[in-house]
Amino acid sequence: MTQAPAAPRATRRRHDREIVALAVPAFGALVAEPLFVMADSAIIGHLGTAQLAGLGIASVLLTTAVSVFVFLAYATTAAVARRVGAGDLQAAIRQGVDGIWLALLLGAAVIAVVLPSAPALVDLFGASDTAAPYAVTYLRISALGIPAMLVVLASTGVLRGLQDTRTPLYVAVAGFVANAALNAGLVYGADLGIAGSAWGTVIAQWGMAAAYLTVVVRGARRHGASLRPDIRGIRASAQAGAPLLVRTLSLRAILMIATAVAARLGDADVAAHQIILSLWSLLAFALDAIAIAGQAIIGRYLGANDTQGAREASRRMVEWGIATGVVLGLLVIVSRPLFMSLFTSDSVVKDAALPALLVVALSQPICGIVFVLDGVLMGAGDGPYLAGAMLVTLAAFIPVALLVPTLGGGLTALWGAMTLMMTVRMLTLWLRARSGRWMVTGATR
């Protein structure tokens, strides 16, 4: 970070209140998202193994198709927050509307690709003859909800930029409840099987999108913002999101490479890896909540031309990230045996996972710094640097990860490589944050 005197206690308390007010609801909304898949799995699991396997394959494809467009939330948050800081709420909402139109266009494009190619995509994942028909059915129906999912991402970004993370929490909880009820009713009550689960999820996703759109439309009318599509605005949203797309794809490549390396280590190691990866993802939700607060707060300060406020807020959020990482790391160390027992009784899997979990625990303060600085730079609209830094990280990770099976060390060594990856990310982000070049002020970057 750039050097600056420590902020007064009153200022730190103000930043703390802002961070908590934004991060806590954001964490709740983040946790609610994976519950959709869990609810579907619990309901479909009682239909049979083939149906559950089909869901597993289709859900991976759907999650990938949606997650690569997460920039719709991140870029929109930063752009809207800047205009909020500049005091131009009309332009802020107009920017958000452009992001929503982009989400609809991208969603339509994804549908056009997924519907005809669903059988080929399922075959690519090696689905069995019994599971493949269920996967294709679920994928084709659920694809109709992809535009809604992308609208939810963009609308979430709008509200976060407006410093509102409570509404996304309420919508996420309502969506989860509706999804579970619809799934149960259509799968068992209407006897539609896996198709009923897919239709239930589609209806719930469009319901969530409708709720968000209602909020955005009301805000647009209140502040006189146009709801019509604007080609220049949509193009600007796409250009702002493109570097973040590169960043996201690079990160997903790292996770895929890590899983591929774990598979080469043996069945016990890949099973343990999947358990650890699920925990790592859960821990990431807590840290990402602080990053989301960072996106909204930093964008607002820079939009208001307040570089001192942005510097102090970013410093305080880094302190929060480190402290949260330490707490999470200690919780992992203490709960390691209990956590593993929840997922497996296989002693070989446990023996592979327990030392690797210790590496994960020790890396959490590093992860805390990475997530927070990632959010700070996203809030500043520093996407091109984030894309470049992630490509550097990917280039550093690949040779180290690929050497793990050759040099030995098993899963512990692989997660040591993951920690090295996070350390490289931390260094690249810290150097940028320290330089101060990310602090570009004004309503637009």
Side-chain angles (χ1 to χ4, degrees), residues 39-246:
D40 289 359
S41 299
I43 292 171
I44 292 177
H46 292 286
L47 296 177
T49 302
Q51 289 91 332
L52 186 58
L55 170 67
I57 293 168
S59 64
V60 168
L61 289 166
L62 286 166
T63 301
T64 301
V66 174
S67 63
V68 296
F69 297 117
V70 73
F71 69 83
L72 288 167
Y74 294 160
T76 303
T77 297
V80 171
R82 275 184 175 271
R83 287 161 175 77
V84 169
D88 192 347
L89 288 178
Q90 183 186 68
I93 295 175
R94 176 66 251 184
Q95 179 70 42
V97 170
D98 291 335
I100 291 171
W101 278 111
L102 176 61
L104 287 169
L105 291 173
L106 290 172
V110 174
I111 287 180
V113 172
V114 171
L115 288 182
S117 63
L121 290 172
V122 169
D123 287 341
L124 187 64
F125 272 70
S128 67
D129 291 340
T130 54
Y134 296 113
V136 171
T137 296
Y138 191 92
L139 181 59
R140 278 181 165 161
I141 296 173
S142 294
L144 301 177
I146 288 177
M149 297 180 203
L150 299 188
V151 167
V152 167
L153 283 177
S155 301
T156 300
V158 175
L159 295 180
R160 288 173 181 171
L162 294 171
Q163 317 296 297
D164 176 10
T165 57
R166 290 183 178 273
T167 299
L169 172 61
Y170 300 148
V171 174
V173 171
F176 167 72
V177 173
N179 178 68
L182 286 165
N183 271 255
L186 294 174
V187 171
Y188 299 122
D191 198 25
L192 294 179
I194 195 169
S197 177
W199 281 117
T201 300
V202 168
I203 294 169
Q205 292 288 358
W206 277 108
M208 293 172 64
Y212 276 118
L213 290 174
T214 299
V215 174
V216 173
V217 168
R218 286 176 179 172
R221 288 175 175 170
R222 185 181 309 118
H223 297 286
S226 174
L227 294 170
R228 295 178 180 177
D230 177 69
I231 300 302
R232 286 183 300 176
I234 294 172
R235 186 185 301 117
S237 294
Q239 290 172 344
L244 297 181
L245 175 61
V246 173

